[in-house]
Amino acid sequence: MVKRRNNTQGRNVMILVDGKPIALATSHTLNSTRAMNDASTKDDGVYGYSEPGNISWTASIDSLFSFDPADDDGQVAYDFFMDAQQSGTPVEVIFGIVSNPSETGLPEGGWKIGTGGRKGQAHVTDVQATGPNGSAATMSVSLQGIGKLDKVTA
């Protein structure tokens, strides 16, 4: 019988921004894309030929809305992302599985990403806050990577 790999609980997959967790986060996404450049010639006949091109990456964050700045509890929220977007200041993005999972919430000292995650610099490109009637306000943040995503090492 083939040994089954363990799945990872979504609550343990995190994005940290500038080393800090996102307040009230509900979902984190990392997307890496490699463009393919057409290198077809007449000699290829009807079959196309492609070669690997540039790699780009994006990250997105969804959370319940929190306006509070990071200073009071070590988490980043709406105001942090708006400031980074408006100033054009890059932020460090770390994506991976936490090395200190907790079933009771944010651990003392915050979340830590374990070996094997990815990190890189990114610009905040989009900050969206939504305040629907009858339910919790939410926030979505989009980030565009700058350069390479490096592996997180111990």
Side-chain angles (χ1 to χ4, degrees), residues 26-118:
T26 59
S27 181
H28 296 126
T29 303
L30 178 71
N31 183 40
S32 179
T33 303
R34 177 157 219 155
M36 296 303 292
N37 298 327
D38 184 12
S40 300
T41 69
K42 293 178 181 181
D43 296 334
D44 295 322
V46 297
Y47 298 99
Y49 183 82
S50 298
E51 294 178 341
N54 292 340
I55 297 173
S56 61
W57 63 274
T58 60
S60 62
I61 298 163
D62 293 311
S63 71
L64 298 180
F65 182 82
S66 175
F67 188 78
D68 299 331
D71 301 1
D72 58 350
D73 64 2
Q75 300 180 68
V76 294
Y78 174 81
D79 204 39
F80 172 89
F81 290 111
M82 285 298 291
D83 287 349
Q85 182 201 46
Q86 298 296 307
S87 69
T89 304
V91 297
E92 180 185 55
V93 174
I94 306 172
F95 178 90
I97 300 170
V98 296
S99 60
N100 57 341
S102 171
E103 292 186 9
T104 59
L106 183 66
E108 181 94 20
W111 300 110
K112 307 291 183 217
I113 300 295
T115 301
R118 297 288 175 160

Side-chain angles (χ1 to χ4, degrees), residues 126-144:
D126 186 62
V127 180
Q128 180 179 3
T130 305
N133 184 34
S135 62
T138 60
M139 176 183 76
S140 295
V141 177
S142 298
L143 302 110
Q144 176 65 55

